[in-house]
Amino acid sequence: MKTLETEFAALLGVKHAHACASGTAAVHCAIAAIDPEPGDEIVTSSITDMGALTPILYQAAVPVFCEVDPRTWNPTASTIEPKLSERTKAIIVHAPLRQSL
């Protein structure tokens, strides 16, 4: 795994890259890296799943849900902004899986 991380970092032109076993693990690593205090808020999409929420909860942070654009199903600046507070530590924007209509 070390070779993968080293070569991937070189490909991207960055110092470090960390391989994760899943998207949930990657989100957990990212949240752990910002080291939220217990009770800090992390804004995330209202359309999500437990794989995106459990890393927030594991770090003792509080998920705050923002609405999504009904056309794209993604959060926008205008849906995120009302959810920001002094306790906001991060914003996680991820595109939900979407079926063709």
Side-chain angles (χ1 to χ4, degrees), residues 38-43 56-57 60-64:
D40 279 349
E41 298 173 348
I42 297 179
V43 178
I56 297 170
L57 300 172
V62 177
V64 174

Side-chain angles (χ1 to χ4, degrees), residues 19-87:
C20 294
S22 67
T24 300
V27 172
H28 195 175
C29 287
I31 294 171
I34 62 169
D35 195 23
E37 295 291 324
D40 279 349
E41 298 173 348
I42 297 179
V43 178
T44 191
S45 170
S46 59
I47 299 177
T48 191
D49 62 23
M50 287 308 293
L53 296 178
T54 51
I56 297 170
L57 300 172
Y58 287 159
Q59 292 301 127
V62 177
V64 174
F65 300 103
C66 66
E67 295 300 324
V68 297
D69 178 275
R71 188 178 55 78
T72 66
W73 295 14
N74 292 306
T76 66
S78 64
T79 64
I80 294 168
E81 186 176 20
K83 301 300 180 174
L84 301 178
S85 76
E86 292 177 6
R87 299 285 311 183

